[in-house]
PDB file of all heavy atoms in Angstrom:
ATOM      1  N   SER A  28       0.830  -1.235   0.047  1.00  0.00           N
ATOM      2  CA  SER A  28      -0.028   0.007  -0.045  1.00  0.00           C
ATOM      3  C   SER A  28       0.872   1.251   0.037  1.00  0.00           C
ATOM      4  O   SER A  28       2.041   1.248   0.456  1.00  0.00           O
ATOM      5  CB  SER A  28      -0.930  -0.009   1.200  1.00  0.00           C
ATOM      6  OG  SER A  28      -0.215   0.066   2.363  1.00  0.00           O
ATOM      7  N   THR A  29       0.315   2.276  -0.526  1.00  0.00           N
ATOM      8  CA  THR A  29       0.960   3.611  -0.554  1.00  0.00           C
ATOM      9  C   THR A  29       0.937   4.306   0.802  1.00  0.00           C
ATOM     10  O   THR A  29      -0.136   4.341   1.406  1.00  0.00           O
ATOM     11  CB  THR A  29       0.336   4.519  -1.641  1.00  0.00           C
ATOM     12  OG1 THR A  29       0.397   3.894  -2.890  1.00  0.00           O
ATOM     13  CG2 THR A  29       1.000   5.840  -1.789  1.00  0.00           C
ATOM     14  N   LEU A  30       2.053   4.782   1.284  1.00  0.00           N
ATOM     15  CA  LEU A  30       2.123   5.454   2.511  1.00  0.00           C
ATOM     16  C   LEU A  30       1.792   6.908   2.224  1.00  0.00           C
ATOM     17  O   LEU A  30       2.479   7.671   1.434  1.00  0.00           O
ATOM     18  CB  LEU A  30       3.502   5.359   3.122  1.00  0.00           C
ATOM     19  CG  LEU A  30       3.718   6.201   4.435  1.00  0.00           C
ATOM     20  CD1 LEU A  30       2.715   5.740   5.568  1.00  0.00           C
ATOM     21  CD2 LEU A  30       5.202   6.209   4.869  1.00  0.00           C
ATOM     22  N   ILE A  31       0.690   7.487   2.882  1.00  0.00           N
ATOM     23  CA  ILE A  31       0.332   8.844   2.788  1.00  0.00           C
ATOM     24  C   ILE A  31       0.377   9.487   4.079  1.00  0.00           C
ATOM     25  O   ILE A  31      -0.368   8.965   5.008  1.00  0.00           O
ATOM     26  CB  ILE A  31      -1.075   8.994   2.042  1.00  0.00           C
ATOM     27  CG1 ILE A  31      -0.989   8.362   0.680  1.00  0.00           C
ATOM     28  CG2 ILE A  31      -1.467  10.463   2.049  1.00  0.00           C
ATOM     29  CD1 ILE A  31      -2.309   8.223  -0.012  1.00  0.00           C
ATOM     30  N   LEU A  32       1.082  10.548   4.269  1.00  0.00           N
ATOM     31  CA  LEU A  32       1.091  11.214   5.566  1.00  0.00           C
ATOM     32  C   LEU A  32       0.557  12.582   5.443  1.00  0.00           C
ATOM     33  O   LEU A  32       0.737  13.327   4.420  1.00  0.00           O
ATOM     34  CB  LEU A  32       2.607  11.379   6.045  1.00  0.00           C
ATOM     35  CG  LEU A  32       3.297  10.013   6.259  1.00  0.00           C
ATOM     36  CD1 LEU A  32       4.800  10.242   6.629  1.00  0.00           C
ATOM     37  CD2 LEU A  32       2.626   9.155   7.307  1.00  0.00           C
ATOM     38  N   LYS A  33      -0.392  12.911   6.310  1.00  0.00           N
ATOM     39  CA  LYS A  33      -0.959  14.298   6.372  1.00  0.00           C
ATOM     40  C   LYS A  33      -0.856  14.736   7.779  1.00  0.00           C
ATOM     41  O   LYS A  33      -1.373  14.146   8.696  1.00  0.00           O
ATOM     42  CB  LYS A  33      -2.358  14.311   5.855  1.00  0.00           C
ATOM     43  CG  LYS A  33      -2.985  15.626   5.772  1.00  0.00           C
ATOM     44  CD  LYS A  33      -4.311  15.575   5.116  1.00  0.00           C
ATOM     45  CE  LYS A  33      -4.943  16.978   4.975  1.00  0.00           C
ATOM     46  NZ  LYS A  33      -6.216  16.924   4.423  1.00  0.00           N
ATOM     47  N   ALA A  34      -0.112  15.959   8.001  1.00  0.00           N
ATOM     48  CA  ALA A  34       0.063  16.345   9.246  1.00  0.00           C
ATOM     49  C   ALA A  34      -1.146  17.051   9.930  1.00  0.00           C
ATOM     50  O   ALA A  34      -1.961  17.619   9.290  1.00  0.00           O
ATOM     51  CB  ALA A  34       1.223  17.419   9.358  1.00  0.00           C
ATOM     52  N   SER A  35      -1.234  16.820  11.251  1.00  0.00           N
ATOM     53  CA  SER A  35      -2.285  17.437  12.043  1.00  0.00           C
ATOM     54  C   SER A  35      -1.979  18.991  12.254  1.00  0.00           C
ATOM     55  O   SER A  35      -0.822  19.332  12.168  1.00  0.00           O
ATOM     56  CB  SER A  35      -2.330  16.710  13.444  1.00  0.00           C
ATOM     57  OG  SER A  35      -3.004  17.462  14.275  1.00  0.00           O
ATOM     58  N   LEU A  36      -3.048  19.733  12.476  1.00  0.00           N
ATOM     59  CA  LEU A  36      -2.906  21.052  12.855  1.00  0.00           C
ATOM     60  C   LEU A  36      -2.939  21.332  14.293  1.00  0.00           C
ATOM     61  O   LEU A  36      -3.152  22.593  14.689  1.00  0.00           O
ATOM     62  CB  LEU A  36      -3.904  21.911  11.950  1.00  0.00           C
ATOM     63  CG  LEU A  36      -3.720  21.829  10.465  1.00  0.00           C
ATOM     64  CD1 LEU A  36      -4.768  22.661   9.785  1.00  0.00           C
ATOM     65  CD2 LEU A  36      -2.360  22.168   9.996  1.00  0.00           C
ATOM     66  N   THR A  37      -2.834  20.363  15.103  1.00  0.00           N
ATOM     67  CA  THR A  37      -2.835  20.515  16.503  1.00  0.00           C
ATOM     68  C   THR A  37      -1.408  20.204  16.945  1.00  0.00           C
ATOM     69  O   THR A  37      -0.708  19.311  16.607  1.00  0.00           O
ATOM     70  CB  THR A  37      -3.746  19.393  17.165  1.00  0.00           C
ATOM     71  OG1 THR A  37      -5.083  19.608  16.787  1.00  0.00           O
ATOM     72  CG2 THR A  37      -3.623  19.624  18.716  1.00  0.00           C
ATOM     73  N   ALA A  38      -0.795  21.167  17.674  1.00  0.00           N
ATOM     74  CA  ALA A  38       0.559  21.134  18.111  1.00  0.00           C
ATOM     75  C   ALA A  38       0.861  20.174  19.208  1.00  0.00           C
ATOM     76  O   ALA A  38       0.013  19.838  20.112  1.00  0.00           O
ATOM     77  CB  ALA A  38       1.066  22.534  18.508  1.00  0.00           C
ATOM     78  N   ASN A  39       2.030  19.632  19.207  1.00  0.00           N
ATOM     79  CA  ASN A  39       2.564  18.827  20.267  1.00  0.00           C
ATOM     80  C   ASN A  39       2.872  19.837  21.446  1.00  0.00           C
ATOM     81  O   ASN A  39       3.790  20.703  21.375  1.00  0.00           O
ATOM     82  CB  ASN A  39       3.819  18.131  19.908  1.00  0.00           C
ATOM     83  CG  ASN A  39       4.483  17.370  21.008  1.00  0.00           C
ATOM     84  OD1 ASN A  39       4.112  17.462  22.150  1.00  0.00           O
ATOM     85  ND2 ASN A  39       5.517  16.642  20.697  1.00  0.00           N
ATOM     86  N   PRO A  40       2.214  19.649  22.548  1.00  0.00           N
ATOM     87  CA  PRO A  40       2.453  20.673  23.731  1.00  0.00           C
ATOM     88  C   PRO A  40       3.802  20.592  24.255  1.00  0.00           C
ATOM     89  O   PRO A  40       4.246  21.473  25.080  1.00  0.00           O
ATOM     90  CB  PRO A  40       1.335  20.336  24.732  1.00  0.00           C
ATOM     91  CG  PRO A  40       0.950  18.942  24.448  1.00  0.00           C
ATOM     92  CD  PRO A  40       1.173  18.727  22.878  1.00  0.00           C
ATOM     93  N   GLN A  41       4.569  19.620  23.928  1.00  0.00           N
ATOM     94  CA  GLN A  41       6.006  19.433  24.448  1.00  0.00           C
ATOM     95  C   GLN A  41       6.923  20.260  23.431  1.00  0.00           C
ATOM     96  O   GLN A  41       8.080  20.391  23.877  1.00  0.00           O
ATOM     97  CB  GLN A  41       6.373  17.965  24.500  1.00  0.00           C
ATOM     98  CG  GLN A  41       5.421  17.126  25.306  1.00  0.00           C
ATOM     99  CD  GLN A  41       5.303  17.674  26.818  1.00  0.00           C
ATOM    100  OE1 GLN A  41       6.353  18.004  27.416  1.00  0.00           O
ATOM    101  NE2 GLN A  41       4.117  17.701  27.229  1.00  0.00           N
ATOM    102  N   ALA A  42       6.452  20.635  22.308  1.00  0.00           N
ATOM    103  CA  ALA A  42       7.314  21.194  21.344  1.00  0.00           C
ATOM    104  C   ALA A  42       7.914  22.491  21.858  1.00  0.00           C
ATOM    105  O   ALA A  42       7.203  23.336  22.544  1.00  0.00           O
ATOM    106  CB  ALA A  42       6.600  21.465  19.963  1.00  0.00           C
ATOM    107  N   LYS A  43       9.109  22.780  21.609  1.00  0.00           N
ATOM    108  CA  LYS A  43       9.756  24.016  21.894  1.00  0.00           C
ATOM    109  C   LYS A  43      10.070  24.792  20.629  1.00  0.00           C
ATOM    110  O   LYS A  43      10.702  24.324  19.650  1.00  0.00           O
ATOM    111  CB  LYS A  43      11.128  23.709  22.617  1.00  0.00           C
ATOM    112  CG  LYS A  43      11.010  22.897  23.869  1.00  0.00           C
ATOM    113  CD  LYS A  43      12.027  23.259  24.833  1.00  0.00           C
ATOM    114  CE  LYS A  43      11.894  22.538  26.174  1.00  0.00           C
ATOM    115  NZ  LYS A  43      10.542  22.439  26.675  1.00  0.00           N
ATOM    116  N   ILE A  44       9.579  26.045  20.626  1.00  0.00           N
ATOM    117  CA  ILE A  44       9.521  26.882  19.365  1.00  0.00           C
ATOM    118  C   ILE A  44      10.353  28.070  19.625  1.00  0.00           C
ATOM    119  O   ILE A  44      10.348  28.720  20.638  1.00  0.00           O
ATOM    120  CB  ILE A  44       8.070  27.236  19.081  1.00  0.00           C
ATOM    121  CG1 ILE A  44       7.113  26.158  19.062  1.00  0.00           C
ATOM    122  CG2 ILE A  44       7.944  28.173  17.822  1.00  0.00           C
ATOM    123  CD1 ILE A  44       7.371  25.071  18.089  1.00  0.00           C
ATOM    124  N   GLY A  45      11.151  28.385  18.558  1.00  0.00           N
ATOM    125  CA  GLY A  45      11.902  29.658  18.539  1.00  0.00           C
ATOM    126  C   GLY A  45      11.356  30.524  17.522  1.00  0.00           C
ATOM    127  O   GLY A  45      10.956  30.155  16.370  1.00  0.00           O
ATOM    128  N   ILE A  46      11.337  31.834  17.814  1.00  0.00           N
ATOM    129  CA  ILE A  46      10.845  32.838  16.950  1.00  0.00           C
ATOM    130  C   ILE A  46      11.938  33.863  16.939  1.00  0.00           C
ATOM    131  O   ILE A  46      12.267  34.439  17.901  1.00  0.00           O
ATOM    132  CB  ILE A  46       9.520  33.493  17.302  1.00  0.00           C
ATOM    133  CG1 ILE A  46       8.316  32.403  17.386  1.00  0.00           C
ATOM    134  CG2 ILE A  46       9.138  34.458  16.204  1.00  0.00           C
ATOM    135  CD1 ILE A  46       7.023  32.964  17.876  1.00  0.00           C
ATOM    136  N   VAL A  47      12.603  34.176  15.688  1.00  0.00           N
ATOM    137  CA  VAL A  47      13.469  35.288  15.535  1.00  0.00           C
ATOM    138  C   VAL A  47      12.723  36.368  14.744  1.00  0.00           C
ATOM    139  O   VAL A  47      12.079  36.063  13.765  1.00  0.00           O
ATOM    140  CB  VAL A  47      14.746  34.823  14.752  1.00  0.00           C
ATOM    141  CG1 VAL A  47      15.585  33.956  15.770  1.00  0.00           C
ATOM    142  CG2 VAL A  47      14.549  34.178  13.505  1.00  0.00           C
ATOM    143  N   VAL A  48      12.878  37.633  15.248  1.00  0.00           N
ATOM    144  CA  VAL A  48      12.087  38.701  14.788  1.00  0.00           C
ATOM    145  C   VAL A  48      12.940  39.862  14.571  1.00  0.00           C
ATOM    146  O   VAL A  48      13.808  40.306  15.427  1.00  0.00           O
ATOM    147  CB  VAL A  48      10.952  39.094  15.758  1.00  0.00           C
ATOM    148  CG1 VAL A  48       9.948  40.120  15.172  1.00  0.00           C
ATOM    149  CG2 VAL A  48      10.270  37.912  16.388  1.00  0.00           C
ATOM    150  N   SER A  49      12.844  40.499  13.387  1.00  0.00           N
ATOM    151  CA  SER A  49      13.614  41.610  13.024  1.00  0.00           C
ATOM    152  C   SER A  49      12.870  42.857  13.699  1.00  0.00           C
ATOM    153  O   SER A  49      11.691  43.118  13.585  1.00  0.00           O
ATOM    154  CB  SER A  49      13.589  41.778  11.483  1.00  0.00           C
ATOM    155  OG  SER A  49      14.182  43.065  11.130  1.00  0.00           O
ATOM    156  N   ARG A  50      13.763  43.787  14.255  1.00  0.00           N
ATOM    157  CA  ARG A  50      13.358  45.029  14.783  1.00  0.00           C
ATOM    158  C   ARG A  50      12.995  46.036  13.662  1.00  0.00           C
ATOM    159  O   ARG A  50      12.286  47.001  13.811  1.00  0.00           O
ATOM    160  CB  ARG A  50      14.235  45.607  15.738  1.00  0.00           C
ATOM    161  CG  ARG A  50      14.163  45.092  17.214  1.00  0.00           C
ATOM    162  CD  ARG A  50      14.915  45.911  18.141  1.00  0.00           C
ATOM    163  NE  ARG A  50      16.153  46.482  17.785  1.00  0.00           N
ATOM    164  CZ  ARG A  50      17.314  46.019  17.885  1.00  0.00           C
ATOM    165  NH1 ARG A  50      17.466  44.820  18.475  1.00  0.00           N
ATOM    166  NH2 ARG A  50      18.405  46.622  17.473  1.00  0.00           N
ATOM    167  N   PHE A  51      13.834  45.892  12.555  1.00  0.00           N
ATOM    168  CA  PHE A  51      13.509  46.855  11.381  1.00  0.00           C
ATOM    169  C   PHE A  51      12.135  46.639  10.883  1.00  0.00           C
ATOM    170  O   PHE A  51      11.679  45.525  10.693  1.00  0.00           O
ATOM    171  CB  PHE A  51      14.639  46.514  10.234  1.00  0.00           C
ATOM    172  CG  PHE A  51      14.797  47.629   9.271  1.00  0.00           C
ATOM    173  CD1 PHE A  51      15.576  48.759   9.695  1.00  0.00           C
ATOM    174  CD2 PHE A  51      14.198  47.618   8.079  1.00  0.00           C
ATOM    175  CE1 PHE A  51      15.685  49.788   8.755  1.00  0.00           C
ATOM    176  CE2 PHE A  51      14.229  48.666   7.209  1.00  0.00           C
ATOM    177  CZ  PHE A  51      15.104  49.785   7.490  1.00  0.00           C
ATOM    178  N   ASN A  52      11.456  47.664  10.738  1.00  0.00           N
ATOM    179  CA  ASN A  52      10.032  47.733  10.299  1.00  0.00           C
ATOM    180  C   ASN A  52       9.188  47.047  11.429  1.00  0.00           C
ATOM    181  O   ASN A  52       8.323  46.336  11.186  1.00  0.00           O
ATOM    182  CB  ASN A  52       9.866  46.983   8.977  1.00  0.00           C
ATOM    183  CG  ASN A  52      10.354  47.830   7.850  1.00  0.00           C
ATOM    184  OD1 ASN A  52      10.090  49.021   7.793  1.00  0.00           O
ATOM    185  ND2 ASN A  52      10.889  47.137   6.908  1.00  0.00           N
ATOM    186  N   GLU A  53       9.519  47.462  12.713  1.00  0.00           N
ATOM    187  CA  GLU A  53       8.904  46.929  13.890  1.00  0.00           C
ATOM    188  C   GLU A  53       7.456  47.113  13.843  1.00  0.00           C
ATOM    189  O   GLU A  53       6.699  46.281  14.469  1.00  0.00           O
ATOM    190  CB  GLU A  53       9.534  47.491  15.174  1.00  0.00           C
ATOM    191  CG  GLU A  53       9.213  46.837  16.398  1.00  0.00           C
ATOM    192  CD  GLU A  53      10.050  47.304  17.568  1.00  0.00           C
ATOM    193  OE1 GLU A  53      10.872  48.229  17.412  1.00  0.00           O
ATOM    194  OE2 GLU A  53       9.837  46.693  18.706  1.00  0.00           O
ATOM    195  N   LEU A  54       6.893  48.166  13.329  1.00  0.00           N
ATOM    196  CA  LEU A  54       5.529  48.422  13.174  1.00  0.00           C
ATOM    197  C   LEU A  54       4.765  47.097  12.572  1.00  0.00           C
ATOM    198  O   LEU A  54       3.699  46.687  13.027  1.00  0.00           O
ATOM    199  CB  LEU A  54       5.177  49.631  12.328  1.00  0.00           C
ATOM    200  CG  LEU A  54       3.694  49.770  11.861  1.00  0.00           C
ATOM    201  CD1 LEU A  54       2.905  50.176  13.091  1.00  0.00           C
ATOM    202  CD2 LEU A  54       3.571  50.896  10.860  1.00  0.00           C
ATOM    203  N   ILE A  55       5.453  46.455  11.646  1.00  0.00           N
ATOM    204  CA  ILE A  55       4.976  45.323  10.930  1.00  0.00           C
ATOM    205  C   ILE A  55       5.293  44.072  11.751  1.00  0.00           C
ATOM    206  O   ILE A  55       4.499  43.133  11.939  1.00  0.00           O
ATOM    207  CB  ILE A  55       5.536  45.213   9.518  1.00  0.00           C
ATOM    208  CG1 ILE A  55       5.148  46.530   8.702  1.00  0.00           C
ATOM    209  CG2 ILE A  55       5.019  44.016   8.813  1.00  0.00           C
ATOM    210  CD1 ILE A  55       3.709  46.862   8.563  1.00  0.00           C
ATOM    211  N   THR A  56       6.546  43.919  12.180  1.00  0.00           N
ATOM    212  CA  THR A  56       7.045  42.745  12.785  1.00  0.00           C
ATOM    213  C   THR A  56       6.379  42.406  14.120  1.00  0.00           C
ATOM    214  O   THR A  56       6.140  41.138  14.408  1.00  0.00           O
ATOM    215  CB  THR A  56       8.600  42.568  12.836  1.00  0.00           C
ATOM    216  OG1 THR A  56       9.081  43.700  13.621  1.00  0.00           O
ATOM    217  CG2 THR A  56       9.214  42.696  11.435  1.00  0.00           C
ATOM    218  N   GLU A  57       6.066  43.499  14.838  1.00  0.00           N
ATOM    219  CA  GLU A  57       5.345  43.237  16.038  1.00  0.00           C
ATOM    220  C   GLU A  57       3.917  42.532  15.823  1.00  0.00           C
ATOM    221  O   GLU A  57       3.565  41.710  16.504  1.00  0.00           O
ATOM    222  CB  GLU A  57       5.062  44.600  16.758  1.00  0.00           C
ATOM    223  CG  GLU A  57       6.202  45.149  17.564  1.00  0.00           C
ATOM    224  CD  GLU A  57       5.874  46.434  18.259  1.00  0.00           C
ATOM    225  OE1 GLU A  57       4.891  47.198  17.883  1.00  0.00           O
ATOM    226  OE2 GLU A  57       6.538  46.619  19.310  1.00  0.00           O
ATOM    227  N   LYS A  58       3.294  42.947  14.768  1.00  0.00           N
ATOM    228  CA  LYS A  58       1.945  42.382  14.432  1.00  0.00           C
ATOM    229  C   LYS A  58       2.117  40.916  13.923  1.00  0.00           C
ATOM    230  O   LYS A  58       1.345  40.034  14.196  1.00  0.00           O
ATOM    231  CB  LYS A  58       1.303  43.152  13.300  1.00  0.00           C
ATOM    232  CG  LYS A  58       0.876  44.530  13.743  1.00  0.00           C
ATOM    233  CD  LYS A  58       0.424  45.372  12.561  1.00  0.00           C
ATOM    234  CE  LYS A  58       0.347  46.841  12.862  1.00  0.00           C
ATOM    235  NZ  LYS A  58      -0.979  47.316  13.206  1.00  0.00           N
ATOM    236  N   LEU A  59       3.200  40.602  13.191  1.00  0.00           N
ATOM    237  CA  LEU A  59       3.520  39.229  12.642  1.00  0.00           C
ATOM    238  C   LEU A  59       3.797  38.400  13.904  1.00  0.00           C
ATOM    239  O   LEU A  59       3.304  37.242  14.019  1.00  0.00           O
ATOM    240  CB  LEU A  59       4.705  39.237  11.754  1.00  0.00           C
ATOM    241  CG  LEU A  59       4.544  39.983  10.417  1.00  0.00           C
ATOM    242  CD1 LEU A  59       5.892  39.997   9.708  1.00  0.00           C
ATOM    243  CD2 LEU A  59       3.549  39.318   9.590  1.00  0.00           C
ATOM    244  N   LEU A  60       4.501  38.895  14.863  1.00  0.00           N
ATOM    245  CA  LEU A  60       4.872  38.184  16.048  1.00  0.00           C
ATOM    246  C   LEU A  60       3.604  37.926  16.898  1.00  0.00           C
ATOM    247  O   LEU A  60       3.473  36.774  17.340  1.00  0.00           O
ATOM    248  CB  LEU A  60       5.940  38.890  16.977  1.00  0.00           C
ATOM    249  CG  LEU A  60       6.219  38.220  18.285  1.00  0.00           C
ATOM    250  CD1 LEU A  60       6.842  36.919  18.083  1.00  0.00           C
ATOM    251  CD2 LEU A  60       7.181  39.208  19.121  1.00  0.00           C
ATOM    252  N   ALA A  61       2.770  38.903  17.070  1.00  0.00           N
ATOM    253  CA  ALA A  61       1.474  38.608  17.778  1.00  0.00           C
ATOM    254  C   ALA A  61       0.721  37.532  17.207  1.00  0.00           C
ATOM    255  O   ALA A  61       0.126  36.644  17.760  1.00  0.00           O
ATOM    256  CB  ALA A  61       0.698  39.907  17.913  1.00  0.00           C
ATOM    257  N   GLY A  62       0.612  37.479  15.851  1.00  0.00           N
ATOM    258  CA  GLY A  62      -0.166  36.598  15.147  1.00  0.00           C
ATOM    259  C   GLY A  62       0.401  35.190  15.294  1.00  0.00           C
ATOM    260  O   GLY A  62      -0.299  34.216  15.501  1.00  0.00           O
TER     261      GLY A  62
END
């Protein structure tokens, strides 16, 4: 059989996430970060 994988949109609560954000154009990047 063919293996088909489709990822869930529910996060693993153990996952550690990093977000790097540019201060340049901070008016925009603050909104991106909040989202």
Side-chain angles (χ1 to χ4, degrees):
S28 65
T29 302
L30 175 63
I31 299 174
L32 301 175
K33 186 173 180 181
S35 164
L36 299 179
T37 302
N39 172 355
Q41 305 303 315
K43 300 213 179 313
I44 307 300
I46 304 176
V47 290
V48 191
S49 169
R50 278 195 323 266
F51 197 80
N52 288 320
E53 193 170 4
L54 170 69
I55 304 300
T56 61
E57 281 183 333
K58 294 172 193 259
L59 296 173
L60 176 60

